Amino acid sequence: MKKLKRFILVGGPASGKGTQGRYLSDTFRLETLSTGALLRREIENCTALGRRAQSYMDQAKLVPDEVVNDIVRTWLADADDSSWILDGYPRTVAQAETLDNFLSQRGLGIDVVVWMDVSRKLIEQRILQRRECSSCNFVVQNSTLEICPKCGGTMTTRKDDNIDAFAKRWKDFESMTLPVARYYESRGLVVKISVTEEREACDVSRELSEKLNVYAESKD
Ligand code: ADP
């Protein structure tokens, strides 16, 4: 069975990437890089990079490829043993190509791409309910929760979680990020998970685990 060490998570906004990323990180003992969380932290810390990113994020636009490529490259260069999960990157085919180059120069490749497949309607409902902890990034579907049940931090609604911003993000997702999923699919690297309303996160994790086992065996 192939040992899976380098993961990419692809999915629409609020498709559950963060939650499944935490599950994978616990199960496979891997570090996760969430570009969205990292960019939000830069904004909170008022760094130059944060200021640059903020102007795009406030308009619900993707941050330019070169900005995101830079932070991912720095993070990957520091990552210990070339084992990780990338959540929210790559989000454009140009980013995927940059990542490919970076990895192939080091004799590495991506082991698996988890594609969280979800309908627009479900995501729209979720986004309007979503709150995120400003300290540990824990996410809940409960628009009235004030205190983080994990760390006691303050739960906030993200600025980009509103209906207008959502419409823009979905359009970008369809035109720029779905091609990334297809790019990896054509290389036989994708494990696709259907996310539906009636399924709890733990059911999704169970299916993910089963499918990853089958996938790892097929790659042996
Ligand atoms: P979501 O998956 O709900 O859109 P994220 O936390 O992954 O949220 O990202 C929040 C925002 O950060 C995005 O809408 C985008 O502006 C920016 N961002 C994150 N990752 C990338 C990326 N790989 N390329 C460009 N912009 C990004």
Side-chain angles (χ1 to χ4, degrees):
M1 190 191 275
K2 183 178 168 75
K3 189 160 169 12
L4 303 175
K5 298 203 305 183
R6 288 179 289 280
F7 288 71
I8 286 178
L9 281 170
V10 180
S15 57
K17 286 189 295 7
T19 307
Q20 297 310 323
R22 267 190 298 281
Y23 168 76
L24 291 174
S25 146
D26 290 346
T27 310
F28 291 86
R29 295 179 192 285
L30 299 170
E31 289 235 34
T32 304
L33 171 66
S34 156
T35 43
L38 205 138
L39 290 167
R40 282 189 290 280
R41 199 145 305 150
E42 295 282 333
I43 292 173
E44 275 163 29
N45 294 336
C46 298
T47 63
L49 192 144
R51 266 193 281 273
R52 175 132 194 248
Q54 183 163 29
S55 56
Y56 295 93
M57 289 166 78
D58 281 353
Q59 299 173 66
K61 286 185 180 161
L62 289 184
V63 173
D65 287 340
E66 74 273 10
V67 176
V68 187
N69 285 336
D70 263 3
I71 54 174
V72 174
R73 245 196 308 262
T74 308
W75 190 88
L76 286 178
D78 288 346
D80 282 355
D81 54 355
S82 314
S83 308
W84 31 252
I85 302 168
L86 300 181
D87 165 6
Y89 181 93
R91 241 178 172 94
T92 64
V93 171
Q95 291 178 15
E97 287 167 354
T98 303
L99 179 64
D100 277 349
N101 285 336
F102 179 89
L103 293 178
S104 63
Q105 279 163 16
R106 284 157 183 77
L108 302 173
I110 291 147
D111 291 330
V112 61
V113 176
V114 175
W115 177 355
M116 308 284 296
D117 190 28
V118 65
S119 72
R120 175 178 176 147
K121 192 162 156 265
L122 176 58
I123 292 192
E124 200 167 32
Q125 284 165 10
R126 279 189 177 179
I127 274 199
L128 300 178
Q129 291 281 317
R130 173 159 82 169
R131 279 168 85 76
E132 178 172 299
C133 174
S134 49
S135 307
C136 72
N137 300 115
F138 182 64
V139 174
V140 289
Q141 299 295 316
N142 176 346
S143 58
T144 56
L145 192 70
E146 302 287 341
I147 305 290
C148 175
K150 287 254 157 139
C151 77
T154 309
M155 300 300 290
T156 54
T157 297
R158 282 169 37 178
K159 254 195 189 157
D160 52 357
D161 280 352
N162 63 66
I163 212 77
D164 292 337
F166 169 73
K168 272 198 210 160
R169 284 155 78 201
W170 182 264
K171 203 164 148 252
D172 282 351
F173 169 69
E174 276 194 320
S175 63
M176 295 197 246
T177 309
L178 271 185
V180 173
R182 296 201 186 100
Y183 168 84
Y184 289 124
E185 197 172 36
S186 69
R187 289 162 49 185
L189 288 172
V190 166
V191 167
K192 196 167 175 178
I193 303 291
S194 291
V195 184
T196 52
E197 199 172 350
E198 60 279 3
R199 299 182 75 198
E200 300 284 338
C202 55
D203 297 326
V204 176
S205 302
R206 191 169 329 112
E207 181 187 339
L208 178 56
S209 194
E210 286 162 9
K211 285 197 167 166
L212 284 173
N213 272 333
V214 173
Y215 174 87
E217 271 173 16
S218 77
K219 295 284 167 179
D220 202 7

